[in-house]
Amino acid sequence: MRFLLIEDNAKLADAVVDRLRLDGHVVDHAADLETAWHFTSTTSYDLILLDIMLPDGDGRTFLSRSREQKSNAPIIVLTARSEVSDRVGVLDLGADDYMVKPIDFSELEARCRAVLRRRGGESSNVLMLGAVAFDSLAGTLRIGTTETQLRPRELRLFEVFAKAPGQIFSKTALVDRLFSYDEDVSENAIEVYVGRLRRHLAGTDVGIITVRGLGYKLEVT
């Protein structure tokens, strides 16, 4: 998953980014609204974490404008304000959830998972694809009685395919989903991760197919 964190507190931002990246997520960080608007105008995000008090404006402006523009990226507001009226206000503006600072990282991860499940219409972390059970929380593929632990980027790549079986993803699109702006990688990296996933899926009814000149797609036969 690709996340955007909009937070001006550098120490908190570094801690959140490091924690989410340990889970294999791609995280871009914007310290102000101007940078956030630039990022969202060029990249699609699976989830946005939004601070309220920012150096160049109020995060609620970003929230309301995003919803006016019909952006469907889920937004979790991070706020130091604990009053009920403040929390009700951001929810009414279109926030999917909120957290009051100081942030507990385990709770943040759980809230991110819950929001993403709700947006995807899922009630469980386990997705069945043919004979393969994919657990996005545990980061595993289970085939019969055999369970394989995926590495973080393998997990996030498989998650992209698993959420949209049959959809073709170009290498460029996959690089965008797996790597942040501050990571300098080539599209060849995608070939490496696709190769690893294919080895994990060998002998099953699930495959990642190369569509010549276009990219890759997941198929269940």
Side-chain angles (χ1 to χ4, degrees), residues 36-43 48 61-73 75 93:
W37 285 123
H38 170 69
F39 283 171
T40 55
S41 68
T42 57
T43 303
I48 296 173
T61 302
F62 178 94
L63 175 59
S64 59
R65 182 175 162 187
S66 294
R67 294 315 183 215
E68 288 170 3
Q69 294 178 346
K70 307 302 182 184
S71 168
N72 60 2
I75 297 176
L93 283 174

Side-chain angles (χ1 to χ4, degrees), residues 18-215:
D18 288 346
R19 183 63 177 255
L20 293 174
R21 283 180 176 173
L22 280 176
D23 285 341
H25 297 295
V26 177
V27 187
D28 292 318
H29 171 226
D32 52 51
L33 291 176
E34 182 180 1
T35 305
W37 285 123
H38 170 69
F39 283 171
T40 55
S41 68
T42 57
T43 303
S44 295
Y45 290 97
D46 298 294
L47 181 77
I48 296 173
L49 301 171
L50 172 65
D51 186 24
I52 291 296
M53 303 302 293
L54 294 161
D56 57 347
D58 192 316
R60 285 169 293 197
T61 302
F62 178 94
L63 175 59
S64 59
R65 182 175 162 187
S66 294
R67 294 315 183 215
E68 288 170 3
Q69 294 178 346
K70 307 302 182 184
S71 168
N72 60 2
I75 297 176
I76 298 178
V77 169
L78 310 177
T79 178
R81 299 176 177 178
S82 58
E83 291 82 2
V84 172
S85 59
D86 291 318
R87 288 176 280 169
V88 170
V90 297
L91 292 172
D92 284 342
L93 283 174
D96 293 84
D97 202 351
Y98 63 86
M99 287 190 68
V100 177
K101 299 177 181 178
I103 292 171
D104 178 89
F105 292 118
S106 295
E107 181 184 0
L108 175 62
E109 291 171 327
R111 287 181 180 269
C112 289
R113 291 192 298 268
V115 165
L116 290 168
R117 282 200 305 270
R118 288 199 301 269
R119 279 300 181 102
E122 302 165 6
S123 59
S124 169
N125 293 306
V126 179
L127 179 65
M128 291 301 303
L129 296 160
V132 177
F134 170 53
D135 188 329
S136 59
L137 175 56
T140 59
L141 296 177
R142 190 176 70 253
I143 303 163
T145 58
T146 301
E147 188 170 89
T148 300
Q149 183 72 49
L150 299 177
R151 296 177 181 177
R153 283 220 167 93
E154 294 172 358
L155 164 62
R156 298 311 167 196
L157 179 58
F158 190 77
E159 194 170 39
V160 171
F161 288 124
K163 297 286 186 181
Q167 180 176 332
I168 299 172
F169 294 92
S170 68
K171 288 183 182 178
T172 300
L174 293 173
V175 166
D176 185 64
R177 299 297 294 274
L178 262 66
F179 300 95
S180 60
Y181 280 112
D182 57 3
E183 294 177 285
D184 184 20
V185 297
S186 72
E187 294 181 357
N188 291 337
I190 299 300
E191 296 178 13
V192 173
Y193 290 114
V194 167
R196 291 178 182 175
L197 290 178
R198 283 172 168 165
R199 288 193 290 273
H200 294 320
L201 296 168
T204 73
D205 55 355
V206 178
I208 298 174
I209 309 302
T210 299
V211 182
R212 189 174 298 277
L214 296 177

